[in-house]
Amino acid sequence: MPKSALIIGITGQDGSYLSELLLAKGYTVHGVVRRSSSFNTARINHIYADPHESGRRLLLHYGDLTDSTGLRRVLEVSVPDEIYNLGAQSHVKVSFENPEYTADSVAVGTLRLLDCMRDHIQHTGRNVRFYQAGSSEMFGAAKPPQNEETPFYPRSPYAVSKVAAHWYALNYREAYNFFVSNGILFNHESPRRGETFVTRKITRAVGRIKAGLQKKLYLGNLDARRDWGFAGDYVEAMWMMLQHDEPGDFVVATGEAYSVRQFLDEAFGHAGLDWNQYVEIDPQYFRPTEVDYLLGDPSKARKAFGWKPRTPFRELVRMMVDSDVQLALEEKYMAGRTAAGVASSR
Ligand code: NAP
Ligand code: G4F
């Protein structure tokens, strides 16, 4: 029987890559989409099928991690074999500004979803597997390299909420013997990365500067080091975790770390630009408590189910720059057409 999966956070970066992966494997994919006054499905438009078409395998449902009644209903109609909880207010800096909402969606939201699953399993007797999107931010100030044995030391409301979600997930595994796995994923990026995360902010600026649409790029701490991988590789690890014999907690990382400064070198360099001429420091992007150095050790995932990253740092940066250079050219072309339209209508 083809499997069915439910993805919370399907409209995000990871949700879009995971949907592609699961559809390619023959799954029926159900996704939870938040109601918004404007379209928020740009990342999954290419796989979207009209509800009037028969035989479609991607089905979307309105829902929100802050609304357990709705989550319960989605679970009842989707009847999933696997649940992927990727939904989150996922921006660390924003979590200092909206800590309560971050805790509600990330920590309590995970608890709501786990508890809906508990009732669903107990009422139906079905086997359902659950993936929790944990984060290397949970390690925070812990000394690198970090692995599954490293104690958490969260440094933001987002990270504290992810730690709570991690422990809720683990508790449901132990208390009810459910198949619940925590992925502890280090930063992963792509051309679909949200525009306010540092990598995409940089590559987008490179494209726009090249196209003459932007003059400066304002950033915060350039010394922070991150273990950056490609999101397309990381969603495979999520799926592999749920196919594994045993549930568990697994670090997913490349095992290499670079500073924001090194990312700037690589990204601007690839476009033939010197970032020192464009980048200025704006303290508004500093965090009240920073995470200085994340470097993951993914040995456990490699040994358990053979996962390893396929995309090296330089290739990732170049992929993102190339995509954003193209997007900026399209933006410039569209701006030119709009200006010409305004002029001809006068
Ligand atoms: P993302 O692009 O920010 O996507 C987050 C998704 O969650 C979006 O679909 C968003 O919907 C949805 N969402 C936000 N608030 C929600 C709510 N209250 N109820 C239901 N859905 C909600 O994040 P991502 O990079 O794909 O990351 C996926 C997950 O992995 C997140 O939980 C993130 O915290 C975690 N994570 C990410 C990384 C990383 O480096 N990317 C590393 C470790 C862990 P809208 O589209 O409507 O905003
Ligand atoms: O790109 P970032 O905002 O990612 P951050 O804080 O590491 O969080 C991301 O990765 C986590 C996994 O470790 C996820 F759980 C989380 O959901 C998110 O996807 O910032 C990276 C670094 C930070 O040290 C930050 O201070 O870049 C530094 N930075 C410097 N200037 C900046 C900027 N970050 C942002 N967003 N914007 C800047 O202008």
Side-chain angles (χ1 to χ4, degrees), residues 90 135-136 158 187 193 196 198 201 220-221 224 226 287 290:
S90 73
S135 164
S136 51
Y158 166 80
N187 298 52
R193 184 56 145 151
T196 60
V198 76
K201 190 168 162 183
N221 177 15
R226 290 290 182 272
R287 290 154 189 202
E290 174 64 290

Side-chain angles (χ1 to χ4, degrees), residues 8-15 32 34 40 43 63-66 85-90 101 105 133-136 158 162 185-189 192-194 197 238:
I8 326 297
I10 194 167
T11 55
Q13 170 188 254
D14 292 4
V32 169
R34 294 195 293 170
N40 56 0
R43 293 189 181 100
D64 198 297
L65 282 163
T66 60
N85 180 25
L86 313 183
Q89 188 302 92
S90 73
Y101 173 70
S105 56
S135 164
S136 51
Y158 166 80
K162 281 288 182 187
L185 272 56
F186 283 63
N187 298 52
H188 45 281
E189 320 293 314
R192 298 183 200 167
R193 184 56 145 151
F197 296 98
M238 297 176 188

Side-chain angles (χ1 to χ4, degrees), residues 48 56 60 72 85 88 119 134 215 248 259 267 273 325-326:
Y48 176 76
R56 75 207 156 95
L60 302 180
R72 204 164 282 271
N85 180 25
D119 286 353
K215 288 193 169 61
S259 66
L273 299 170
V325 164
Q326 184 57 35

Side-chain angles (χ1 to χ4, degrees), residues 36-53:
S36 160
S37 65
S38 50
F39 288 121
N40 56 0
T41 50
R43 293 189 181 100
I44 52 170
N45 278 347
H46 61 294
I47 48 173
Y48 176 76
D50 189 281
H52 304 96
E53 282 176 25

Side-chain angles (χ1 to χ4, degrees), residues 24-179:
K25 290 184 181 298
Y27 280 64
T28 296
V29 175
H30 294 265
V32 169
V33 176
R34 294 195 293 170
R35 149 74 190 152
S36 160
S37 65
S38 50
F39 288 121
N40 56 0
T41 50
R43 293 189 181 100
I44 52 170
N45 278 347
H46 61 294
I47 48 173
Y48 176 76
D50 189 281
H52 304 96
E53 282 176 25
S54 61
R56 75 207 156 95
R57 288 191 292 116
L58 176 65
L59 296 94
L60 302 180
H61 312 268
Y62 282 116
D64 198 297
L65 282 163
T66 60
D67 171 19
S68 41
T69 322
L71 291 176
R72 204 164 282 271
R73 199 172 299 124
V74 172
L75 218 61
E76 276 167 21
V77 299
S78 58
V79 200
D81 300 300
E82 297 168 9
I83 299 174
Y84 295 86
N85 180 25
L86 313 183
Q89 188 302 92
S90 73
H91 202 285
V92 172
K93 178 73 186 344
V94 172
S95 80
F96 287 100
E97 280 144 45
N98 299 149
E100 189 181 327
Y101 173 70
T102 303
D104 195 14
S105 56
V106 176
V108 186
T110 302
L111 176 64
R112 290 186 185 102
L113 191 58
L114 285 162
D115 218 45
C116 290
M117 179 178 79
R118 172 163 78 117
D119 286 353
H120 179 78
I121 291 175
Q122 287 175 349
H123 293 156
T124 63
R126 299 179 63 251
N127 287 320
V128 184
R129 295 184 171 203
F130 190 101
Y131 172 83
Q132 169 55 22
S135 164
S136 51
E137 279 290 307
M138 301 189 298
F139 295 125
K143 206 168 143 272
Q146 294 98 359
N147 66 20
E148 295 79 1
E149 306 304 319
T150 307
F152 296 141
Y153 187 161
R155 298 268 287 170
S156 65
Y158 166 80
V160 173
S161 303
K162 281 288 182 187
V163 171
H166 174 95
W167 284 107
Y168 283 137
L170 204 149
N171 180 244
Y172 272 63
R173 184 201 302 158
E174 292 179 351
Y176 307 112
N177 204 22
F178 290 163
F179 195 112

